Amino acid sequence: MSQMPQPTALSRCPSCEEPLESGDRYCGACGYDLSTVPAPPPDPPTLAMNGTVPRPAPGGAPVDWPVAPAAGGQEEPAPVHLPTDLADTDSGGSHGPGAAPDEGASRGVRLDRAAEPEEYPLPAPRPADPHPAAPPGAAKFCVACRSGLVDGDGYCEHCGHAQPRERDHVEQDMGPAAAISDRGLRHHRNEDAFALSRSVLPDGSAALVTVVCDGVSSATRPDDASLAAARAANEALLAALPCGTHPQQAMHDAIVAASGAVNALAAEPETAQEHAPHQNAPACTLVGAVVTPDLLVVGWVGDSRVYWVPVDRAAPPARLTEDDSWAAQMVAAGLMSEAQAYADERAHAITGWLGADAYELEPHTASFKPDRPGMVVVCTDGLWNYAEAAEEMADVLPADAHHRPLHATRVLLGHALDGGGHDNVTVAVLPFPAPSQGAGSA
């Protein structure tokens, strides 16, 4: 049933402020008629979190909300501004110091917008053709979908899959000698490079030549630096040795040539300081070996190494190079033992490298005349980090490396990957003495 309207309950008389009791119709002090007190105004509308007004209850009277002012005299509502769009306001929309508030400005910010989907579905890839037609020229098919072509940047034009880089894993088998280079398990690209070749000395005897370079990851374009250095040094050695240049002098000149090739990269537009001042010069380390019938010559700048492992494992192995590194300097100065130095976090900070920002080029070379057959292992720190001592390297090198050099390089690579593969891994294995022309692996 319906109810009668009740007078508004007041706590004090509107006329004399005398306290009232519930149900009083007149003030006991001044006689004020309490039934004439006007009703309070209705509550203001409640705004939702998105700034909109809830729809009125069914049966209620519609609310006459003001229409948004027109923008620019057109039939379009005024644009919505964020607090940061207004002059001299902070991120919360309040006026900054010294700014007069706009009395006509809106007190809220509209946050409601059309809902966006959580996922943007992509069209399903077309089924791969098991026998795709051969693309024109030297184009390649994607290794993932097998139907799309690979663009110049190394990505599939159909599914977008990144293709393996050619330098991610490289092998070279030259019969008596072999080399391998791998990206490893942690790096996104292979920044190492190597060169492996033969040469002929003036007396007609054979010489084996290898150069291994490790790009400095903190430098710009380290992969280009290592490749340029390996090629330049290899070309210099192949040009000098047949002319009768002593192998040790040829190695020194090859390192200088490699340094010039890396320095030239810094002048190219991609790395020129005037175009890209935030970039540093490309840089890399280098280690090389020349093996003749009676002489073993090594040369290096940086922390890549050469190991000597006799075929007769009863004879002691040896490391033939000294690192250009912080740890090596500490040991040479007598300030630390080798174990202490290489346990320090600064151990692998190099003090010598090839690059335009190198302090001073100091090529190191050395000649040896081994008295017995053996294997020469030339490698980057991606390998020797897991077999640092010469005895450790000899234990990892297979006993039949003299007859199966490519297999030996794969075993050494596997040892590095099993140890964690934190760096690029490059290793070359050469026999001493160098075999005569035409001789190959057994």
Side-chain angles (χ1 to χ4, degrees):
M1 62 181 179
S2 61
Q3 296 180 348
M4 295 293 294
Q6 299 294 326
T8 304
L10 299 177
S11 60
R12 293 181 178 275
C13 175
S15 176
C16 65
E17 295 295 323
E18 180 71 14
L20 302 176
E21 294 182 1
S22 177
D24 288 349
R25 294 190 177 187
Y26 297 91
C27 175
C30 66
Y32 187 87
D33 185 1
L34 299 177
S35 64
T36 62
V37 177
D43 291 337
T46 300
L47 295 180
M49 289 298 294
N50 61 0
T52 60
V53 180
R55 184 174 300 176
V63 181
D64 186 16
W65 299 110
V67 179
Q74 303 297 327
E75 296 299 328
E76 300 176 358
V80 177
H81 295 280
L82 297 177
T84 52
D85 295 335
L86 305 178
D88 197 19
T89 60
D90 59 21
S91 59
S94 60
H95 288 271
D102 185 1
E103 294 294 335
S106 173
R107 297 181 181 271
V109 179
R110 180 175 179 178
L111 301 178
D112 56 321
R113 69 170 90 182
E116 297 183 359
E118 296 183 359
E119 297 182 357
Y120 293 88
L122 299 176
R126 299 191 302 270
D129 184 359
H131 303 289
K140 298 180 180 179
F141 285 114
C142 174
V143 299
C145 68
R146 301 186 304 280
S147 61
L149 298 180
V150 179
D151 61 19
D153 295 328
Y155 292 86
C156 176
E157 296 177 345
H158 171 56
C159 68
H161 191 90
Q163 306 301 296
R165 298 179 177 90
E166 293 182 0
R167 288 177 61 180
D168 280 357
H169 183 88
V170 183
E171 296 183 1
Q172 183 179 350
D173 185 3
M174 208 174 62
I180 195 169
S181 184
D182 191 86
R183 178 173 61 92
L185 302 179
R186 302 298 180 89
H187 279 224
H188 70 284
R189 63 181 175 185
N190 188 2
E191 297 171 356
D192 289 357
F194 72 85
L196 181 66
S197 56
R198 292 179 190 265
S199 184
V200 180
L201 302 180
D203 61 0
S205 59
L208 300 176
V209 174
T210 188
V211 178
V212 170
C213 297
D214 184 357
V216 178
S217 297
S218 59
T220 301
R221 297 167 62 195
D223 52 336
D224 292 341
S226 62
L227 185 60
R231 288 176 174 174
N234 183 65
E235 292 172 0
L237 287 168
L238 295 182
L241 292 174
C243 298
T245 306
H246 190 279
Q248 189 168 356
Q249 180 63 45
M251 179 62 72
H252 179 279
D253 296 342
I255 295 176
V256 174
S259 176
V262 178
N263 292 349
L265 296 177
E268 294 182 1
E270 295 90 337
T271 53
Q273 294 298 310
E274 61 269 23
H275 296 288
H278 63 283
Q279 295 181 342
N280 50 9
C284 69
T285 65
L286 180 148
V287 64
V290 175
V291 181
T292 72
D294 59 357
L295 191 65
L296 169 58
V297 173
V298 299
W300 72 96
V301 173
D303 61 350
S304 294
R305 294 179 175 181
V306 179
Y307 290 87
W308 163 256
V309 181
V311 172
D312 179 8
R313 296 303 175 89
R319 174 156 63 95
L320 306 182
T321 58
E322 292 292 337
D323 299 343
D324 287 324
S325 67
W326 180 90
Q329 286 190 345
M330 295 297 102
V331 175
L335 300 177
M336 285 183 169
S337 67
E338 187 168 359
Q340 291 173 331
Y342 281 98
D344 193 283
E345 61 182 6
R346 297 164 291 182
H348 291 280
I350 58 175
T351 58
W353 63 89
L354 304 181
D357 59 354
Y359 300 119
E360 184 178 359
L361 178 61
E362 295 183 2
H364 310 290
T365 61
S367 295
F368 303 90
K369 288 189 175 182
D371 60 354
R372 65 195 69 200
M375 300 302 296
V376 181
V377 179
V378 184
C379 64
T380 61
D381 60 345
L383 170 60
W384 68 252
N385 276 332
Y386 304 100
E388 186 171 337
E391 294 76 14
E392 293 176 313
M393 187 65 71
D395 290 341
V396 179
L397 186 69
D400 62 350
H402 198 275
H403 302 288
R404 303 172 64 195
L406 181 60
H407 170 72
T409 62
R410 291 171 176 170
V411 171
L412 294 173
L413 169 62
H415 177 75
L417 297 181
D418 290 344
H422 288 74
D423 201 353
N424 306 143
V425 184
T426 302
V427 56
V429 174
L430 304 86
F432 178 89
S436 59
Q437 288 283 356
S441 58

